[in-house]
Amino acid sequence: VPGTGGVRVVNGSAYGVGIYTARSPYVSFGYTRGHQQMFVCAGIMKENFVGSRGQETREAGSIVVFFKAELVLPCFLVTYESRHVQMTPHQTSH
């Protein structure tokens, strides 16, 4: 989580300082900065769930922010070629 363990906030924190994920890769492509790699993660969440120690997740459209690192598990590192990525908005539904 940015702000802990020497991790900096890099892309802003519009929905709070946390680990930003997206339900669709279409949302995430803009944040890869041309690196053509992204993690596929599993997360434990409930919409705007508030635990005993405060808010643990926040959902904003297709973005899900996790405020506790232990709720997110990186499962795969996906490498792709941008010329082959042809996503359209209708493919982003979940």
Side-chain angles (χ1 to χ4, degrees):
V1 174
T4 62
V7 178
R8 298 182 301 117
V9 173
V10 177
N11 290 311
S13 56
Y15 302 110
V17 176
I19 300 168
Y20 280 63
T21 64
R23 294 183 181 277
S24 167
Y26 186 75
V27 174
S28 302
F29 288 133
Y31 296 96
T32 62
R33 297 182 180 177
H35 291 287
Q36 298 179 328
Q37 289 186 316
M38 67 177 74
F39 283 105
V40 175
C41 299
I44 300 171
M45 57 137 338
K46 281 187 166 181
E47 187 174 351
N48 298 318
F49 177 72
V50 178
S52 59
R53 295 185 186 156
Q55 190 174 18
E56 294 182 356
T57 63
R58 180 171 183 193
E59 193 170 357
S62 62
I63 295 171
V64 180
V65 183
F66 293 88
F67 300 108
K68 296 177 75 176
E70 56 268 22
L71 297 177
V72 181
L73 175 66
C75 298
F76 304 98
L77 176 62
V78 176
T79 302
Y80 59 92
E81 294 182 30
S82 61
R83 63 183 177 183
H84 296 252
V85 176
Q86 296 180 6
M87 301 281 297
T88 58
H90 74 274
Q91 291 175 304
T92 63
S93 322
H94 47 278

